[in-house]
Amino acid sequence: MTHNNRAIGQHAIVMGGSMAGLLAARVLTDHFERVTLVERDQFPDTAEQRKGVPQGRHLHVLLVKGEQIMSILFPGLADDLIAAGAVQFDFCRDLLWFQSGGYKARFAGGIMGLALSRPLLESHIRRRLLTRQNITCLTQYTVTGLIATEDNQRITGVSLRSPHGEKGVDTLTADLIVDATGRGSRSPQWLESLGYARPEESVVQIQHAYASRIYRRDQALLPDALSVMTAPMPPDGQRAGALAPLEGERWMATLGGWTGDHPPTDEPGFLEYARSLPNQDIYQVISRAEPLSDIVIHKMPSNLRRHYEKMKQFPQGYLVMGDAVSSFNPAYGQGMTVSAMEAELLGKCLLKAPSPNHLDNLAAAFFKEAAKIVEGAWSLAVREDFRFPGVTGPKPPATDLINRYVTRFHQSTFHDQETSYAFFQVMNLIQAPTLLFHPRIVWRVIRSGLARP
Ligand SMILES: Cc1cc2nc3c(=O)[nH]c(=O)nc-3n(C[C@H](O)[C@H](O)[C@H](O)COP(=O)(O)OP(=O)(O)OC[C@H]3O[C@@H](n4cnc5c(N)ncnc54)[C@H](O)[C@@H]3O)c2cc1C
């Protein structure tokens, strides 16, 4: 039974058991008699990497907004994570953040974050979700297609393939089916095969890549901070790096480069790349710390957005969420938080549905509001990416002008706690980007510019 005894449907299926799928499934357990999560991978019992989430080997920053939503969906989650070794830090005080030629002012701001590995976060959320009474998990099953009514107006189920080709469950039916299969989602093809248009796509080519390595954490090598962020210096400098604590007294070092300037995966090349960053903070640590893993690389060709909100016709009983809708340059750490915001939105849309029949309007209502969530994160990410020559695609209006202002804004944060605080609020998606343009903030940026030689 659902927890609020207000079931608006019998059965919901979520395809994909990563962050977007887990959070969507959690919300759906409040509104459907039962929920089935279908995942291609076998879930590990503990906080281990798995094939379907290769990005889990790289730094995963959990923005404050994402953590807040996850903690509402799973009360006590943050405490559990801290007990499991996640490191709590103050974005304003504990981060050594170098950008636009200087370090941000450091002070106790109280914008608290959690540093941890992606597998630890995912395993805790999964474990919490699977304790709910009305969830069933079907692992090692791949969704191969959609089943629709004869007139294709409503999606009624999915077809499945087990990895061993076993005959078992081969179709499932439901009132609502959610695609959370990530960037490689096949919804555009599946919808097309049912006679719908494919969603329009926005693609901003960045040719970005991350290379990451885990080290034993020795705080003596970084006495003054818990975490380091060295931003790139576009247009000429395309390289960035971050060092963050993980559970188990470890550090994750992630180096990243835009427009093909990718970090190497051999030890000397990785260290040399770290040495070539705008400052030596990360190099100084990782050249002396003990490595605990290989160096792994992940390439991200583009920011990709699928505009389901613009589709004139869309079948009933179907939704798409998470990276299947928008996948961003990971350098801005937004993906999991956008998934969480979409899960929260799904809950609000379902609360407005007075009856199962009302699910008919769900997709239009959901995609319209989800587009606003995506737009906020997209414009922050894409505008920054357009600082790099060679980035191509649809450029949001006034990007160059805004970027010039934002550079001056960053320079004001070297000494001004108020602008620095505003930055961390916007970056963590707990305030809208318009905060950076509030007259009070603009005045502080101008004043700080006048004070600089
Ligand atoms: C290198 C990198 C670093 C990142 N860093 C950050 C960060 O710092 N902070 C942040 O918030 N976000 C980050 N992200 C983004 C974040 O990982 C995703 O936004 C987040 O995982 C949500 O994605 P998702 O659940 O929609 O899809 P995914 O995480 O891609 O998961 C899709 C799931 O669907 C399953 N699946 C796929 N096809 C099928 C099928 N046909 N049938 C059944 N199951 C299927 C897969 O096995 C997988 O479990 C990063 C991404 C990358 C690539």
Side-chain angles (χ1 to χ4, degrees):
M1 280 298 287
T2 61
H3 285 238
N4 66 2
N5 293 324
R6 189 189 164 274
I8 55 169
Q10 286 289 314
H11 186 207
I13 297 171
V14 177
M15 309 185 261
S18 175
M19 206 52 79
L22 294 170
L23 298 174
R26 163 64 192 86
V27 166
L28 291 169
T29 58
D30 281 344
H31 299 277
F32 286 79
E33 292 290 342
R34 57 195 181 90
V35 177
T36 305
L37 185 69
V38 184
E39 166 55 47
R40 193 164 53 188
D41 278 357
Q42 172 83 291
F43 285 137
D45 294 332
T46 53
E48 283 164 42
Q49 304 289 348
R50 63 184 178 88
K51 193 168 162 230
V53 185
Q55 71 267 35
R57 296 182 188 279
H58 300 270
L59 182 66
H60 260 69
V61 177
L62 176 58
L63 301 182
V64 172
K65 180 71 180 179
E67 191 267 307
Q68 285 173 349
I69 297 172
M70 291 173 195
S71 289
I72 292 170
L73 294 175
F74 300 103
L77 177 72
D79 290 340
D80 277 5
L81 291 169
I82 292 168
V87 177
Q88 195 173 33
F89 67 98
D90 183 336
F91 274 89
C92 304
R93 186 192 58 203
D94 301 324
L95 252 166
L96 205 52
W97 187 302
F98 186 89
Q99 184 157 18
S100 301
Y103 290 96
K104 295 202 183 301
R106 292 181 58 195
F107 56 99
I111 301 180
M112 303 307 291
L114 288 180
L116 73 177
S117 71
R118 163 68 193 243
L120 183 70
L121 178 63
E122 194 179 303
S123 68
H124 272 250
I125 289 184
R126 189 170 61 231
R127 190 171 51 75
R128 292 285 205 106
L129 174 70
L130 296 182
T131 60
R132 295 182 78 81
Q133 285 167 6
N134 57 344
I135 183 106
T136 307
C137 198
L138 215 49
T139 55
Q140 293 188 284
Y141 278 87
T142 302
V143 178
T144 53
L146 303 179
I147 300 166
T149 48
E150 217 163 280
D151 60 3
N152 291 340
Q153 294 294 308
R154 177 179 285 276
I155 306 299
T156 55
V158 295
S159 46
L160 303 167
R161 188 185 62 232
S162 89
H164 314 299
E166 291 162 5
K167 280 274 171 234
V169 185
D170 53 12
T171 60
L172 277 179
T173 57
D175 306 300
L176 178 66
I177 291 148
V178 176
D179 176 5
T181 57
R183 186 177 168 112
S185 154
R186 298 192 57 212
S187 278
Q189 293 94 314
W190 289 338
L191 291 172
E192 192 177 41
S193 71
L194 294 173
Y196 293 90
R198 282 177 178 235
E200 196 182 297
E201 289 187 350
S202 294
V203 181
V204 172
Q205 294 288 348
I206 48 175
Q207 306 309 334
H208 184 274
Y210 261 0
S212 300
R213 189 173 214 185
I214 294 175
Y215 294 85
R216 189 178 307 285
R217 181 146 71 102
D218 173 0
Q219 214 57 58
L221 297 177
L222 187 65
D224 187 33
L226 286 176
S227 201
V228 180
M229 168 70 202
T230 304
M233 292 277 273
D236 301 326
Q238 279 117 316
R239 300 177 174 191
L243 181 81
L246 303 180
E247 70 279 2
E249 295 302 318
R250 298 173 300 161
W251 271 316
M252 167 82 79
T254 290
L255 309 179
W258 279 252
T259 59
D261 188 5
H262 295 168
T265 53
D266 63 288
E267 164 130 15
F270 190 74
L271 285 177
E272 192 47 42
Y273 195 94
R275 208 154 70 93
S276 72
L277 296 180
N279 69 27
Q280 303 285 295
D281 293 340
I282 296 172
Y283 175 75
Q284 290 298 342
V285 175
I286 65 173
S287 58
R288 289 183 288 161
E290 180 193 347
L292 297 177
S293 77
D294 292 339
I295 302 166
V296 287
I297 191 154
H298 191 109
K299 294 187 180 170
M300 175 70 99
S302 60
N303 293 286
L304 170 64
R305 184 172 173 189
R306 301 191 176 107
H307 294 275
Y308 286 100
E309 77 282 6
K310 292 188 184 169
M311 284 179 69
K312 297 225 167 20
Q313 308 285 336
F314 195 82
Q316 290 159 17
Y318 197 59
L319 284 183
V320 188
M321 295 176 68
D323 280 22
V325 174
S326 59
S327 108
F328 312 97
N329 183 340
Y332 313 109
Q334 299 167 320
M336 298 190 295
T337 295
V338 167
S339 294
M341 292 166 81
E342 289 175 355
E344 184 185 49
L345 168 66
L346 175 61
K348 286 182 185 156
C349 291
L350 289 169
L351 271 181
K352 285 189 193 149
S355 68
N357 290 341
H358 219 82
L359 283 176
D360 291 359
N361 297 327
L362 183 67
F366 175 81
F367 287 134
K368 182 170 168 240
E369 293 305 312
K372 294 178 191 165
I373 295 170
V374 171
E375 178 57 32
W378 175 267
S379 55
L380 276 177
V382 164
R383 279 211 168 91
E384 277 301 312
D385 285 340
F386 272 111
R387 288 179 185 270
F388 299 91
V391 167
T392 56
K395 197 168 176 175
T399 292
D400 295 340
L401 183 69
I402 291 174
N403 282 349
R404 277 199 294 278
Y405 167 75
V406 172
T407 299
R408 284 173 182 65
F409 170 87
H410 280 303
Q411 289 165 343
S412 79
T413 64
F414 302 163
H415 305 290
D416 188 334
Q417 295 187 3
E418 189 169 337
T419 56
S420 189
Y421 188 79
F423 168 75
F424 284 116
Q425 285 185 303
V426 171
M427 185 213 120
N428 278 294
L429 302 183
I430 45 181
Q431 283 284 348
T434 47
L435 176 63
L436 305 190
F437 305 94
H438 188 280
R440 184 179 163 81
I441 297 289
V442 173
W443 164 239
R444 297 187 79 93
V445 171
I446 294 170
R447 204 178 56 178
S448 142
L450 291 174
R452 266 197 309 278

